Amino acid sequence: MTFFSSFRAKLILTIFPVVAGVLIGALLLAEWKFSATYQRLFEEQFENQITSVNHAKNKRFEALSSVLEKLAQTPATLKAMREGDFTKVTGEMRPALEKLAKERLQSEIGNLPKPPTGGMIQRPGLPGRPDDRREEKGKFALEMLRPQGSSLSQSAPFIALIDHKGEFVRSQRQRSGSPVTEQEVSRRSPKIPWLGDSNFDETLKQQEVGYLIVEAGDKRGEQVREVFVTPMRDPNDGKFLGAIVFGLPMISLADRVLYEQSKRSEYGEIMSGIYVEEKLVSATVPEDQREAVAAAVARSLNQSHREKRELILPIDGVRHRLIYRVLNPESPFPQAVQVSFYSLAALDREIGDLRRSAVGLGAAALLVAFVLVMLTSRSLSGPVSQLVIATQKIEQGNFDVRVPVTRNELGRVARAFNDMASGLALQEKYRSVLNAVADRTVAERLIENRDALVGELRDVSILFCDIRGFTALTEKMPPHEVIELLNEHMTALTKLAYDHGGIVDKFVGDLIMVLFGAPVTTGNDTLRAVECAQAMIRIRRELNHTSRHPLEIGIGIATGSVVAGCMGSDQRLSYTVLGHRVNLASRLCGIAQAGEIVCDEETATALGEAVATTPLPPRQLKGFSEPMAIRKVN
């Protein structure tokens, strides 16, 4: 028996997958919970940012919408638009709009979340660092508006006029080639980039809000402006003249972005930006990563029209989780998208540490399980192995085998096994005794079914074999020699009877009676009976060469219908046959000479030409009224 087929190996192969499966399941559940918690914190912070942006957007719209609509209908503005000169409208409109912008921005600055005080930001789980100091909230926010070397009062809002073709209306200074400032025209003049090839009057049906990128100075770079595009129509005939473009820095969003730099999650920095005009504008995303983030957002927008999506983005071989939401989903202008993302490197490291810890714990658990299994299996496999070996010995016929009885559950099995072995031993003893006093075939059928051998008529050949002169030979022999002589003789004849398919019916002194055809037939019972008789003559002659007392035998065979079955009492039964042919076989044996086989006519007829026979003179036999025709087997 190989190791893998042993009880111990099967127990190990059963326990180990269960332990490993539980550990792997626990690890996967821990990773899922860990990642889900981390993602939930990130999404909550993103939602807070989106809420802040939407709140600021709604406040601006409430404060600016009606004012801009009134300005769009003033005579000075309409006149400037008709004449196509931006210079004429600035004198009337710019002071009011700059004042409005200043008030709006100051209001938004006052509503920003208060930065940490004390100059030290304490990160969750990390020590505070001196480079995390922040200025007070007013100064911190105003830096977002102030181009290089300017003040808040000098940082005017973005103001422009767009004609009915969608082109910026330029001033006289621009027409003469003078430098163009941010306040006068977009960096993508002379045409607003939203329109493409569409007609402006078809796109702008009502006041709309869009997003535009403008230059904010050498060091500040690009900024996103939230612009209100207010259509201008002739009050007389309703003809579309163009639009006023009034844009403010996304102060609340931009300031919150910078403020969020001081907020790190426990696993790394959360970076934010705005995707607009196929570019990502951000104060926190590194420049070498902006292009990859912008490309990923662009692909996602092309593939799905959902306002909010989450992506896994690999950058420089490091996984990042990115989430975005469209800021102007209903706007006819190109979409602007609020983007936040963070590196998963720290999270992957934490999960890697968790996996290594789990592997170590799993290895320890498997080692402990292995030791326990070995100890447990030893107490189980030992008795089981003994039972297996004892069962194999039972199969081999050794019913004397016994196994030790222990005090555990296997002890009950061992006790039952020993009782079974004792019962099998007793049954085998009974079978041996039965086989010794009855024919083996008869005994087996009786064991299987006591009622199997009831009386029935069968065609059989009966063989009687008797020793000639046995009484005179054994008259003066000691009893034990007589028994030894008979046992030797009967053992040889019995073997021949079984070899030829016969059933030993009984032994009567020196006579043996053999049946062919009962209780089962072989199909050629008469021929087998004659061949068995011939073999008995030969074996007896061979034994006479070595035996102390040579013997001569005569054999009689008769064939016909008889009654066969178990006969006797309830306490003792014997399988035998009764009938005229049985008596005839006995009488034929009595008249046979030494070494001679005598049979009746029925036997010779059944043999046909298979065995030659010689007719003998009819003989008057005891018990028969008429002389019987007999034959001698050659």
Side-chain angles (χ1 to χ4, degrees):
M1 181 175 62
T2 63
F3 172 77
F4 290 101
S5 63
S6 65
F7 173 77
R8 180 175 299 177
K10 292 178 180 179
L11 185 62
I12 292 174
L13 295 176
T14 301
I15 295 297
F16 272 36
V18 174
V19 175
V22 171
L23 290 174
I24 292 174
L27 174 61
L28 294 177
L29 179 61
E31 289 184 11
W32 176 78
K33 294 288 288 183
F34 192 73
S35 300
T37 301
Y38 189 40
Q39 182 177 354
R40 179 176 55 81
L41 294 175
F42 170 64
E43 290 180 351
E44 288 177 355
Q45 186 166 347
F46 179 78
E47 290 297 330
N48 290 336
Q49 293 180 2
I50 289 295
T51 301
S52 175
V53 171
N54 290 336
H55 180 73
K57 180 179 177 180
N58 293 335
K59 287 292 186 180
R60 284 184 176 184
F61 189 83
E62 292 174 1
L64 301 177
S65 177
S66 58
V67 176
L68 292 174
E69 287 180 349
K70 290 179 180 180
L71 286 175
Q73 298 301 318
T74 59
T77 306
L78 293 173
K79 181 180 179 181
M81 179 61 71
R82 291 190 187 98
E83 295 178 358
D85 190 354
F86 181 69
T87 307
K88 293 181 178 181
V89 76
T90 55
E92 296 287 339
M93 188 170 57
R94 181 176 294 279
L97 291 178
E98 287 185 348
K99 180 180 179 181
L100 180 63
K102 183 176 181 180
E103 293 174 353
R104 184 69 253 158
L105 294 176
Q106 289 285 13
S107 174
E108 292 178 1
I109 291 172
N111 293 328
L112 284 175
K114 186 177 181 180
T117 58
M120 186 73 71
I121 302 299
Q122 183 69 34
R123 302 180 185 180
L126 297 174
R129 299 195 311 184
D131 58 353
D132 284 324
R133 292 186 175 89
R134 297 290 183 265
E135 301 294 337
E136 60 185 76
K137 66 177 182 179
K139 181 179 179 181
F140 175 73
L142 289 176
E143 288 295 325
M144 284 298 300
L145 297 173
R146 189 172 296 138
Q148 189 69 19
S150 65
S151 63
L152 179 61
S153 60
Q154 297 170 332
S155 182
F158 178 78
I159 304 171
L161 292 181
I162 302 177
D163 62 17
H164 67 283
K165 297 180 180 180
E167 295 181 355
F168 286 98
V169 177
R170 297 183 295 174
S171 65
Q172 295 293 338
R173 181 175 59 180
Q174 291 170 326
R175 295 191 183 98
S176 63
S178 302
V180 180
T181 65
E182 171 199 344
Q183 291 77 14
E184 291 175 331
V185 69
S186 164
R187 64 183 179 87
R188 293 195 178 187
S189 67
K191 189 164 184 170
I192 189 167
W194 298 332
L195 298 179
D197 295 331
S198 62
N199 296 327
F200 191 29
D201 59 340
E202 295 178 359
T203 303
L204 191 65
K205 298 295 185 181
Q206 61 185 0
Q207 190 180 54
E208 297 287 353
V209 177
Y211 297 88
L212 190 67
I213 297 178
V214 298
E215 297 292 338
D218 294 337
K219 293 185 178 181
R220 289 293 175 186
E222 296 175 331
Q223 288 186 358
V224 177
R225 295 296 176 97
E226 185 179 48
V227 296
F228 293 79
V229 184
T230 306
M232 299 174 61
R233 299 183 183 275
D234 193 312
N236 297 323
D237 56 10
K239 180 181 179 181
F240 180 76
L241 302 176
I244 298 177
V245 180
F246 178 75
L248 292 177
M250 297 188 67
I251 178 65
S252 60
L253 176 62
D255 191 66
R256 176 175 288 275
V257 168
L258 288 179
Y259 176 68
E260 291 297 340
Q261 290 187 77
S262 65
K263 288 188 177 181
R264 307 295 204 276
S265 73
E266 188 175 353
Y267 306 104
E269 178 181 0
I270 298 177
M271 296 168 283
S272 300
I274 298 179
Y275 172 83
V276 63
E277 297 184 34
E278 300 181 354
K279 295 187 67 175
L280 181 69
V281 179
S282 173
T284 59
V285 180
E287 291 186 6
D288 58 346
Q289 296 182 3
R290 294 178 190 175
E291 183 176 351
V293 175
V297 174
R299 287 193 302 270
S300 180
L301 291 174
N302 291 332
Q303 295 171 359
S304 173
H305 298 290
R306 293 164 53 187
E307 296 181 11
K308 178 182 177 181
R309 285 198 69 184
E310 182 179 339
L311 310 172
I312 297 296
L313 178 64
I315 300 178
D316 297 332
V318 179
R319 295 191 313 133
H320 291 70
R321 190 187 301 277
L322 183 148
I323 186 171
Y324 71 79
R325 177 173 290 181
V326 179
L327 296 175
N328 55 340
E330 303 298 331
S331 174
F333 301 133
Q335 294 175 328
V337 179
Q338 167 67 33
V339 179
S340 291
F341 80 109
Y342 62 95
S343 171
L344 294 176
L347 177 62
D348 291 341
R349 286 194 298 271
E350 292 290 339
I351 292 179
D353 293 341
L354 179 64
R355 289 176 178 173
R356 285 188 289 272
S357 300
V359 169
L361 179 62
L366 290 176
L367 180 60
V368 172
F370 178 78
V371 174
L372 293 177
V373 166
M374 293 299 291
L375 295 176
T376 304
S377 64
R378 180 175 298 176
S379 62
L380 295 176
S381 62
V384 171
S385 299
Q386 292 175 345
L387 285 171
V388 172
I389 295 173
T391 302
Q392 293 173 347
K393 292 183 178 179
I394 289 288
E395 292 177 348
Q396 296 169 1
N398 181 8
F399 299 105
D400 295 328
V401 64
R402 299 293 183 270
V403 295
V405 178
T406 59
R407 295 184 178 180
N408 54 22
E409 290 296 325
L410 288 177
R412 299 172 60 184
V413 178
R415 189 178 297 107
F417 179 87
N418 291 339
D419 293 342
M420 178 196 70
S422 299
L424 291 175
L426 183 60
Q427 289 183 10
E428 185 62 22
K429 184 180 294 184
Y430 290 157
R431 183 187 297 272
S432 300
V433 173
L434 184 60
N435 288 338
V437 299
D439 184 83
R440 182 180 305 165
T441 303
V442 174
E444 290 177 352
R445 297 195 66 181
L446 286 174
I447 291 173
E448 294 174 359
N449 184 3
R450 182 184 177 91
D451 297 329
L453 300 178
V454 296
E456 58 180 342
L457 287 176
R458 299 193 68 89
D459 289 330
V460 300
S461 292
I462 306 103
L463 180 153
F464 279 84
C465 178
D466 192 9
I467 299 175
R468 296 293 174 257
F470 181 74
T471 302
L473 177 64
T474 60
E475 183 179 3
K476 297 181 180 180
M477 289 178 58
H480 67 278
E481 289 187 15
V482 175
I483 297 300
E484 289 178 0
L485 178 63
L486 281 176
N487 287 344
E488 178 189 40
H489 175 73
M490 293 301 181
T491 298
L493 299 187
T494 300
K495 183 178 184 304
L496 290 174
Y498 288 147
D499 290 344
H500 288 80
I503 302 298
V504 178
D505 181 275
K506 62 174 65 68
F507 299 100
V508 182
D510 60 328
L511 179 143
I512 180 173
M513 175 181 174
V514 183
L515 303 178
F516 293 88
V520 293
T521 181
T522 61
N524 53 354
D525 301 312
T526 303
L527 178 60
R528 284 178 175 267
V530 173
E531 290 177 344
C532 179
Q534 292 173 335
M536 288 179 175
I537 298 295
R538 288 195 301 272
I539 196 67
R540 186 62 259 175
R541 290 172 180 170
E542 293 175 2
L543 290 175
N544 287 339
H545 293 298
T546 59
S547 177
R548 292 175 56 191
H549 305 284
L551 301 177
E552 295 294 338
I553 59 174
I555 300 175
I557 301 175
T559 300
S561 179
V562 297
V563 175
C566 287
M567 303 174 191
S569 66
D570 292 340
Q571 288 77 29
R572 178 176 175 80
L573 294 174
S574 175
Y575 183 81
T576 188
V577 293
L578 299 175
H580 175 73
R581 291 297 165 178
V582 178
N583 295 333
L584 177 58
S586 176
R587 298 295 183 263
L588 293 176
C589 179
I591 65 173
Q593 299 298 317
E596 192 176 60
I597 303 172
V598 179
C599 65
D600 61 354
E601 282 291 339
E602 285 78 3
T603 301
T605 302
L607 289 174
E609 298 180 356
V611 178
T613 60
T614 302
L616 296 176
R619 299 284 298 270
Q620 183 70 43
L621 301 177
K622 184 179 180 181
F624 295 87
S625 59
E626 298 293 335
M628 300 297 297
I630 60 176
R631 301 179 76 90
K632 176 182 176 182
V633 178
N634 296 335

mmCIF file of all heavy atoms in Angstrom, residues 23-39 319 321 347-348 350-356 358-359:
data_model
loop_
_atom_site.group_PDB
_atom_site.id
_atom_site.type_symbol
_atom_site.label_atom_id
_atom_site.label_comp_id
_atom_site.label_asym_id
_atom_site.label_seq_id
_atom_site.Cartn_x
_atom_site.Cartn_y
_atom_site.Cartn_z
ATOM 1 N N LEU A 23 -8.060 29.905 4.771
ATOM 2 C CA LEU A 23 -7.079 30.989 4.823
ATOM 3 C C LEU A 23 -7.161 31.864 3.572
ATOM 4 O O LEU A 23 -7.130 33.101 3.663
ATOM 5 C CB LEU A 23 -5.674 30.406 4.960
ATOM 6 C CG LEU A 23 -5.356 29.762 6.314
ATOM 7 C CD1 LEU A 23 -3.994 29.087 6.282
ATOM 8 C CD2 LEU A 23 -5.376 30.814 7.422
ATOM 9 N N ILE A 24 -7.285 31.242 2.405
ATOM 10 C CA ILE A 24 -7.379 32.020 1.173
ATOM 11 C C ILE A 24 -8.662 32.837 1.163
ATOM 12 O O ILE A 24 -8.664 34.016 0.773
ATOM 13 C CB ILE A 24 -7.324 31.082 -0.047
ATOM 14 C CG1 ILE A 24 -5.922 30.446 -0.148
ATOM 15 C CG2 ILE A 24 -7.640 31.833 -1.331
ATOM 16 C CD1 ILE A 24 -5.810 29.400 -1.234
ATOM 17 N N GLY A 25 -9.768 32.235 1.600
ATOM 18 C CA GLY A 25 -11.018 32.978 1.670
ATOM 19 C C GLY A 25 -10.934 34.160 2.613
ATOM 20 O O GLY A 25 -11.421 35.258 2.306
ATOM 21 N N ALA A 26 -10.312 33.951 3.780
ATOM 22 C CA ALA A 26 -10.153 35.049 4.733
ATOM 23 C C ALA A 26 -9.264 36.147 4.165
ATOM 24 O O ALA A 26 -9.528 37.345 4.348
ATOM 25 C CB ALA A 26 -9.566 34.518 6.043
ATOM 26 N N LEU A 27 -8.206 35.747 3.441
ATOM 27 C CA LEU A 27 -7.317 36.745 2.833
ATOM 28 C C LEU A 27 -8.055 37.552 1.770
ATOM 29 O O LEU A 27 -7.957 38.787 1.736
ATOM 30 C CB LEU A 27 -6.114 36.035 2.214
ATOM 31 C CG LEU A 27 -5.149 36.923 1.413
ATOM 32 C CD1 LEU A 27 -4.544 37.995 2.302
ATOM 33 C CD2 LEU A 27 -4.058 36.083 0.772
ATOM 34 N N LEU A 28 -8.801 36.879 0.910
ATOM 35 C CA LEU A 28 -9.540 37.593 -0.135
ATOM 36 C C LEU A 28 -10.585 38.526 0.466
ATOM 37 O O LEU A 28 -10.775 39.653 -0.014
ATOM 38 C CB LEU A 28 -10.211 36.588 -1.076
ATOM 39 C CG LEU A 28 -9.267 35.720 -1.921
ATOM 40 C CD1 LEU A 28 -10.059 34.721 -2.751
ATOM 41 C CD2 LEU A 28 -8.391 36.587 -2.818
ATOM 42 N N LEU A 29 -11.246 38.065 1.519
ATOM 43 C CA LEU A 29 -12.235 38.918 2.174
ATOM 44 C C LEU A 29 -11.566 40.132 2.808
ATOM 45 O O LEU A 29 -12.069 41.258 2.700
ATOM 46 C CB LEU A 29 -12.982 38.109 3.240
ATOM 47 C CG LEU A 29 -14.048 38.872 4.034
ATOM 48 C CD1 LEU A 29 -15.138 39.388 3.102
ATOM 49 C CD2 LEU A 29 -14.649 37.974 5.114
ATOM 50 N N ALA A 30 -10.409 39.921 3.451
ATOM 51 C CA ALA A 30 -9.694 41.040 4.069
ATOM 52 C C ALA A 30 -9.230 42.031 3.003
ATOM 53 O O ALA A 30 -9.342 43.255 3.179
ATOM 54 C CB ALA A 30 -8.502 40.519 4.873
ATOM 55 N N GLU A 31 -8.707 41.523 1.875
ATOM 56 C CA GLU A 31 -8.279 42.421 0.790
ATOM 57 C C GLU A 31 -9.460 43.213 0.247
ATOM 58 O O GLU A 31 -9.358 44.411 -0.013
ATOM 59 C CB GLU A 31 -7.635 41.605 -0.329
ATOM 60 C CG GLU A 31 -6.275 41.037 0.033
ATOM 61 C CD GLU A 31 -5.640 40.322 -1.153
ATOM 62 O OE1 GLU A 31 -6.166 40.464 -2.275
ATOM 63 O OE2 GLU A 31 -4.622 39.641 -0.957
ATOM 64 N N TRP A 32 -10.586 42.520 0.068
ATOM 65 C CA TRP A 32 -11.769 43.211 -0.467
ATOM 66 C C TRP A 32 -12.250 44.294 0.496
ATOM 67 O O TRP A 32 -12.548 45.414 0.079
ATOM 68 C CB TRP A 32 -12.868 42.190 -0.721
ATOM 69 C CG TRP A 32 -14.143 42.835 -1.182
ATOM 70 C CD1 TRP A 32 -14.431 43.301 -2.424
ATOM 71 C CD2 TRP A 32 -15.299 43.084 -0.373
ATOM 72 N NE1 TRP A 32 -15.692 43.823 -2.447
ATOM 73 C CE2 TRP A 32 -16.259 43.720 -1.216
ATOM 74 C CE3 TRP A 32 -15.621 42.839 0.961
ATOM 75 C CZ2 TRP A 32 -17.506 44.097 -0.748
ATOM 76 C CZ3 TRP A 32 -16.866 43.218 1.422
ATOM 77 C CH2 TRP A 32 -17.790 43.840 0.572
ATOM 78 N N LYS A 33 -12.316 43.970 1.777
ATOM 79 C CA LYS A 33 -12.752 44.960 2.758
ATOM 80 C C LYS A 33 -11.759 46.112 2.836
ATOM 81 O O LYS A 33 -12.155 47.290 2.944
ATOM 82 C CB LYS A 33 -12.894 44.289 4.127
ATOM 83 C CG LYS A 33 -13.989 43.242 4.207
ATOM 84 C CD LYS A 33 -15.370 43.862 4.184
ATOM 85 C CE LYS A 33 -15.689 44.569 5.487
ATOM 86 N NZ LYS A 33 -17.066 45.105 5.484
ATOM 87 N N PHE A 34 -10.490 45.783 2.768
ATOM 88 C CA PHE A 34 -9.446 46.802 2.848
ATOM 89 C C PHE A 34 -9.556 47.760 1.662
ATOM 90 O O PHE A 34 -9.572 48.985 1.825
ATOM 91 C CB PHE A 34 -8.087 46.101 2.859
ATOM 92 C CG PHE A 34 -6.935 46.995 3.221
ATOM 93 C CD1 PHE A 34 -6.743 47.433 4.513
ATOM 94 C CD2 PHE A 34 -6.031 47.399 2.247
ATOM 95 C CE1 PHE A 34 -5.683 48.241 4.840
ATOM 96 C CE2 PHE A 34 -4.970 48.218 2.569
ATOM 97 C CZ PHE A 34 -4.796 48.640 3.871
ATOM 98 N N SER A 35 -9.653 47.203 0.452
ATOM 99 C CA SER A 35 -9.754 48.030 -0.750
ATOM 100 C C SER A 35 -11.060 48.806 -0.781
ATOM 101 O O SER A 35 -11.094 49.972 -1.183
ATOM 102 C CB SER A 35 -9.637 47.152 -2.002
ATOM 103 O OG SER A 35 -8.399 46.475 -2.032
ATOM 104 N N ALA A 36 -12.156 48.149 -0.363
ATOM 105 C CA ALA A 36 -13.448 48.824 -0.375
ATOM 106 C C ALA A 36 -13.469 50.012 0.589
ATOM 107 O O ALA A 36 -14.008 51.078 0.272
ATOM 108 C CB ALA A 36 -14.559 47.833 -0.018
ATOM 109 N N THR A 37 -12.864 49.843 1.763
ATOM 110 C CA THR A 37 -12.821 50.947 2.720
ATOM 111 C C THR A 37 -11.992 52.098 2.186
ATOM 112 O O THR A 37 -12.377 53.274 2.273
ATOM 113 C CB THR A 37 -12.237 50.449 4.050
ATOM 114 O OG1 THR A 37 -13.051 49.389 4.545
ATOM 115 C CG2 THR A 37 -12.192 51.573 5.072
ATOM 116 N N TYR A 38 -10.867 51.757 1.604
ATOM 117 C CA TYR A 38 -10.001 52.784 1.036
ATOM 118 C C TYR A 38 -10.704 53.523 -0.102
ATOM 119 O O TYR A 38 -10.667 54.758 -0.188
ATOM 120 C CB TYR A 38 -8.726 52.103 0.539
ATOM 121 C CG TYR A 38 -7.627 53.037 0.113
ATOM 122 C CD1 TYR A 38 -7.347 54.198 0.816
ATOM 123 C CD2 TYR A 38 -6.851 52.751 -0.990
ATOM 124 C CE1 TYR A 38 -6.332 55.045 0.431
ATOM 125 C CE2 TYR A 38 -5.835 53.573 -1.394
ATOM 126 C CZ TYR A 38 -5.577 54.737 -0.681
ATOM 127 O OH TYR A 38 -4.579 55.572 -1.083
ATOM 128 N N GLN A 39 -11.378 52.777 -0.966
ATOM 129 C CA GLN A 39 -12.088 53.399 -2.081
ATOM 130 C C GLN A 39 -13.248 54.253 -1.572
ATOM 131 O O GLN A 39 -13.521 55.329 -2.114
ATOM 132 C CB GLN A 39 -12.608 52.311 -3.018
ATOM 133 C CG GLN A 39 -13.314 52.857 -4.250
ATOM 134 C CD GLN A 39 -13.744 51.750 -5.186
ATOM 135 O OE1 GLN A 39 -13.411 50.593 -4.967
ATOM 136 N NE2 GLN A 39 -14.481 52.102 -6.214
ATOM 137 N N ARG A 319 -0.146 51.408 -10.614
ATOM 138 C CA ARG A 319 -1.590 51.511 -10.767
ATOM 139 C C ARG A 319 -2.124 52.738 -10.027
ATOM 140 O O ARG A 319 -1.696 53.042 -8.919
ATOM 141 C CB ARG A 319 -2.282 50.263 -10.222
ATOM 142 C CG ARG A 319 -1.971 49.002 -10.981
ATOM 143 C CD ARG A 319 -2.896 47.858 -10.567
ATOM 144 N NE ARG A 319 -3.009 47.746 -9.126
ATOM 145 C CZ ARG A 319 -4.170 47.601 -8.476
ATOM 146 N NH1 ARG A 319 -5.298 47.558 -9.160
ATOM 147 N NH2 ARG A 319 -4.194 47.482 -7.160
ATOM 148 N N ARG A 321 -5.977 54.783 -9.230
ATOM 149 C CA ARG A 321 -7.433 54.777 -9.312
ATOM 150 C C ARG A 321 -7.906 56.187 -9.626
ATOM 151 O O ARG A 321 -7.527 57.139 -8.935
ATOM 152 C CB ARG A 321 -8.057 54.292 -8.010
ATOM 153 C CG ARG A 321 -9.573 54.041 -8.134
ATOM 154 C CD ARG A 321 -10.177 53.720 -6.780
ATOM 155 N NE ARG A 321 -9.565 52.555 -6.183
ATOM 156 C CZ ARG A 321 -9.903 51.301 -6.450
ATOM 157 N NH1 ARG A 321 -10.855 51.073 -7.339
ATOM 158 N NH2 ARG A 321 -9.306 50.305 -5.866
ATOM 159 N N LEU A 347 -1.318 51.242 -1.383
ATOM 160 C CA LEU A 347 -2.322 50.217 -1.100
ATOM 161 C C LEU A 347 -1.820 48.839 -1.520
ATOM 162 O O LEU A 347 -2.011 47.852 -0.801
ATOM 163 C CB LEU A 347 -3.613 50.561 -1.839
ATOM 164 C CG LEU A 347 -4.759 49.551 -1.704
ATOM 165 C CD1 LEU A 347 -5.201 49.431 -0.256
ATOM 166 C CD2 LEU A 347 -5.928 49.949 -2.594
ATOM 167 N N ASP A 348 -1.174 48.766 -2.684
ATOM 168 C CA ASP A 348 -0.628 47.485 -3.129
ATOM 169 C C ASP A 348 0.443 46.979 -2.172
ATOM 170 O O ASP A 348 0.555 45.770 -1.934
ATOM 171 C CB ASP A 348 -0.054 47.618 -4.539
ATOM 172 C CG ASP A 348 -1.139 47.821 -5.595
ATOM 173 O OD1 ASP A 348 -2.297 47.508 -5.295
ATOM 174 O OD2 ASP A 348 -0.824 48.319 -6.692
ATOM 175 N N GLU A 350 0.512 47.631 1.021
ATOM 176 C CA GLU A 350 -0.188 47.156 2.214
ATOM 177 C C GLU A 350 -0.794 45.776 1.955
ATOM 178 O O GLU A 350 -0.718 44.883 2.807
ATOM 179 C CB GLU A 350 -1.295 48.147 2.593
ATOM 180 C CG GLU A 350 -0.788 49.494 3.099
ATOM 181 C CD GLU A 350 -0.143 49.376 4.468
ATOM 182 O OE1 GLU A 350 -0.429 48.394 5.175
ATOM 183 O OE2 GLU A 350 0.656 50.260 4.821
ATOM 184 N N ILE A 351 -1.397 45.613 0.762
ATOM 185 C CA ILE A 351 -1.972 44.311 0.435
ATOM 186 C C ILE A 351 -0.879 43.258 0.310
ATOM 187 O O ILE A 351 -1.050 42.098 0.716
ATOM 188 C CB ILE A 351 -2.799 44.417 -0.862
ATOM 189 C CG1 ILE A 351 -4.038 45.279 -0.620
ATOM 190 C CG2 ILE A 351 -3.195 43.037 -1.374
ATOM 191 C CD1 ILE A 351 -4.907 45.468 -1.838
ATOM 192 N N GLY A 352 0.274 43.662 -0.263
ATOM 193 C CA GLY A 352 1.397 42.727 -0.335
ATOM 194 C C GLY A 352 1.854 42.288 1.047
ATOM 195 O O GLY A 352 2.113 41.103 1.286
ATOM 196 N N ASP A 353 1.943 43.269 1.974
ATOM 197 C CA ASP A 353 2.303 42.921 3.355
ATOM 198 C C ASP A 353 1.250 41.998 3.971
ATOM 199 O O ASP A 353 1.581 41.054 4.700
ATOM 200 C CB ASP A 353 2.441 44.193 4.188
ATOM 201 C CG ASP A 353 3.636 45.043 3.756
ATOM 202 O OD1 ASP A 353 4.541 44.485 3.088
ATOM 203 O OD2 ASP A 353 3.655 46.249 4.054
ATOM 204 N N LEU A 354 -0.033 42.326 3.665
ATOM 205 C CA LEU A 354 -1.104 41.484 4.188
ATOM 206 C C LEU A 354 -0.998 40.064 3.647
ATOM 207 O O LEU A 354 -1.167 39.090 4.391
ATOM 208 C CB LEU A 354 -2.455 42.103 3.821
ATOM 209 C CG LEU A 354 -3.709 41.338 4.268
ATOM 210 C CD1 LEU A 354 -3.776 41.289 5.786
ATOM 211 C CD2 LEU A 354 -4.966 41.999 3.707
ATOM 212 N N ARG A 355 -0.684 39.953 2.364
ATOM 213 C CA ARG A 355 -0.553 38.614 1.770
ATOM 214 C C ARG A 355 0.631 37.856 2.363
ATOM 215 O O ARG A 355 0.538 36.667 2.642
ATOM 216 C CB ARG A 355 -0.390 38.737 0.262
ATOM 217 C CG ARG A 355 -1.664 39.174 -0.455
ATOM 218 C CD ARG A 355 -1.428 39.379 -1.933
ATOM 219 N NE ARG A 355 -2.654 39.759 -2.622
ATOM 220 C CZ ARG A 355 -2.716 40.121 -3.894
ATOM 221 N NH1 ARG A 355 -1.598 40.145 -4.622
ATOM 222 N NH2 ARG A 355 -3.869 40.457 -4.447
ATOM 223 N N ARG A 356 1.742 38.581 2.523
ATOM 224 C CA ARG A 356 2.903 37.904 3.123
ATOM 225 C C ARG A 356 2.593 37.447 4.542
ATOM 226 O O ARG A 356 2.973 36.349 4.951
ATOM 227 C CB ARG A 356 4.110 38.838 3.091
ATOM 228 C CG ARG A 356 4.738 38.979 1.705
ATOM 229 C CD ARG A 356 6.042 39.758 1.757
ATOM 230 N NE ARG A 356 5.795 41.168 2.042
ATOM 231 C CZ ARG A 356 5.559 42.083 1.125
ATOM 232 N NH1 ARG A 356 5.522 41.735 -0.160
ATOM 233 N NH2 ARG A 356 5.350 43.347 1.448
ATOM 234 N N ALA A 358 -0.359 36.764 5.641
ATOM 235 C CA ALA A 358 -1.304 35.655 5.538
ATOM 236 C C ALA A 358 -0.591 34.365 5.131
ATOM 237 O O ALA A 358 -0.933 33.280 5.618
ATOM 238 C CB ALA A 358 -2.399 35.989 4.527
ATOM 239 N N VAL A 359 0.382 34.486 4.226
ATOM 240 C CA VAL A 359 1.145 33.301 3.819
ATOM 241 C C VAL A 359 1.908 32.726 5.010
ATOM 242 O O VAL A 359 1.926 31.506 5.238
ATOM 243 C CB VAL A 359 2.100 33.641 2.658
ATOM 244 C CG1 VAL A 359 3.073 32.495 2.414
ATOM 245 C CG2 VAL A 359 1.312 33.941 1.396
#
